[in-house]
Amino acid sequence: MSEQLAKLLARRLGERFKRNELLSDYTTFGVGGPAWGLVEPDDEDELAFVLRAAAEAGMELQVLGACSNVLVADSGLPALAVLIRERMGAIELESQSDRGVLLRVDAGCSVRRLTELCLEHGWTGFEFAAGIPGNLGGALRMNAGTRDGEIYDLVRELRLMNAEGSAQWLAREEVDFSYRAVELPAGAVILSCRMELQKGERQDVARKVEAMLAWRAEHHPQYLPCAGSVFRNPPGEHAARLIETAGCKGLRVGGAQVSEHHANFIVNDKNGSANDIYELIGLVRQRVRQSFGLTLECEVKLLGDFA
């Protein structure tokens, strides 16, 4: 069945279907073995075709975006990786009033591009996301945010596609979201959202964006392969403080190191492997548990076999 699926996908998607594609070429950690196959759909119709074909063949799916919040095992994924990126990244102004705008933003749109559009038009409310890596789909999937806000503060509706290729809109009230987590139906793929922003002054938006980018430059490691914050903050605590107090700042396994700049970041500074990063995650969790009796929960999604 897998070879039949490969022929079907190649016929429909051409060069946008790749066999045994190394995911290290896509992840911001710069690690990860090959996927069984990789596709990048053009639109919803093509995505629906891919989902149905994979379901009929019994092939496991892994939906990815900018791959900025994942750790893929060195052995890769025995799955079809589906990339939702700029081909499915449109932004549409659906309505506006004297006070605000309603945007439809597709999952493949980068957070950076949406931030730049808000800055260009003086739309306010999204400044907290300035500098967050990745695409909107990933931000929606994990309810990305900062100390100043989170994505579901702005979302009014969410559009999903199921494994049969059918799409529907869900009102915000129908979506079960919490801190860095969103519960969705099994197999659901995020397509887009409707987002409400306020009209403001461009210079005020620019000032907030610049302040957020400056804060990130000061507090987060720059120019080294990483995947953002590795652990969620426990209730009433900061993971970075716990990690640093437990003596983990600068801790290294192979080519992976707990950042000297921010203890809740792991950087791949010496061509480390996925297994180096995984072992370092485990070592940090162990030391924090021994020091504080708390088990840190991973914010980075682990994909593949790390056994």
Side-chain angles (χ1 to χ4, degrees):
M1 290 293 287
S2 63
E3 290 309 311
Q4 291 178 344
L5 176 61
K7 291 177 182 178
L8 191 63
L9 294 173
R11 189 159 56 244
R12 177 67 183 263
L13 283 86
E15 293 182 353
R16 285 180 291 110
F17 168 63
K18 299 177 174 66
R19 282 296 304 272
N20 300 316
E21 183 79 350
L22 276 175
L23 294 177
S24 57
D25 293 336
Y26 298 85
T27 65
T28 56
F29 262 134
V31 299
W36 171 87
L38 181 144
V39 297
E40 186 173 353
D42 253 341
D43 52 33
E44 287 189 14
D45 288 342
E46 205 164 74
L47 175 61
F49 169 82
V50 170
L51 297 184
R52 288 194 296 266
E56 290 171 6
M59 176 61 68
E60 181 183 346
L61 283 176
Q62 180 60 60
V63 177
L64 299 169
C67 300
S68 59
N69 193 50
V70 298
L71 176 62
V72 179
D74 295 316
S75 57
L77 295 177
L80 176 62
V82 182
L83 289 183
I84 308 294
R85 301 200 295 185
E86 288 296 337
R87 291 176 180 273
M88 296 181 64
I91 304 174
E92 179 184 351
L93 175 60
E94 289 201 333
S95 65
Q96 60 179 316
S97 65
D98 291 341
R99 297 182 60 186
V101 298
L102 184 68
L103 302 179
R104 172 175 170 162
V105 189
D106 289 345
C109 176
S110 69
V111 171
R112 178 176 180 175
R113 183 157 68 89
L114 182 55
T115 302
E116 290 171 349
L117 187 70
C118 292
L119 177 57
E120 177 184 347
H121 292 279
W123 298 333
T124 186
F126 197 64
E127 295 93 334
F128 72 87
I132 290 179
N135 295 344
L136 190 70
L140 291 166
R141 191 65 185 84
M142 65 170 292
N143 193 20
T146 67
R147 56 185 180 166
D148 296 325
E150 58 188 27
I151 195 74
Y152 279 89
D153 294 338
L154 307 173
V155 170
R156 296 297 166 258
E157 292 182 274
L158 189 64
R159 184 168 171 80
L160 304 177
M161 180 176 286
N162 63 22
E164 289 74 43
S166 297
Q168 65 170 333
W169 285 99
L170 295 179
R172 179 179 184 272
E173 294 74 23
E174 299 176 86
V175 181
D176 183 12
F177 61 90
S178 57
Y179 170 72
R180 301 299 175 269
V182 180
E183 294 295 329
L184 297 177
V189 178
I190 295 175
L191 298 173
S192 58
C193 75
R194 288 192 172 104
M195 177 183 296
E196 189 174 14
L197 298 168
Q198 302 304 308
K199 290 184 176 178
E201 296 296 331
R202 189 183 183 283
Q203 59 268 29
D204 292 335
V205 176
R207 176 177 50 79
K208 292 176 183 177
V209 167
E210 289 167 3
M212 180 57 69
L213 292 176
W215 184 88
R216 286 184 176 278
E218 180 182 354
H219 292 88
H220 293 174
Q222 305 291 308
Y223 313 117
L224 286 173
C226 69
S229 297
V230 175
F231 301 102
R232 297 178 182 177
N233 289 324
E237 257 297 356
H238 292 282
R241 188 194 76 81
L242 298 174
I243 295 166
E244 185 168 356
T245 306
C248 297
K249 204 169 190 180
L251 191 64
R252 177 181 291 279
V253 172
Q257 183 184 36
V258 176
S259 172
E260 296 276 13
H261 205 73
H262 190 300
N264 199 17
F265 281 64
I266 288 177
V267 296
N268 181 10
D269 69 339
K270 292 185 182 296
N271 297 316
S273 66
N275 202 56
D276 289 343
I277 298 167
Y278 179 74
E279 288 189 13
L280 185 54
I281 288 172
L283 187 56
V284 169
R285 295 181 78 190
Q286 180 185 40
R287 291 197 179 184
V288 169
R289 188 164 50 242
Q290 290 171 344
S291 297
F292 299 99
L294 291 173
T295 299
L296 293 176
E297 187 176 351
C298 251
E299 189 169 301
V300 171
K301 189 172 183 181
L302 307 177
L303 303 179
D305 184 7
F306 288 93

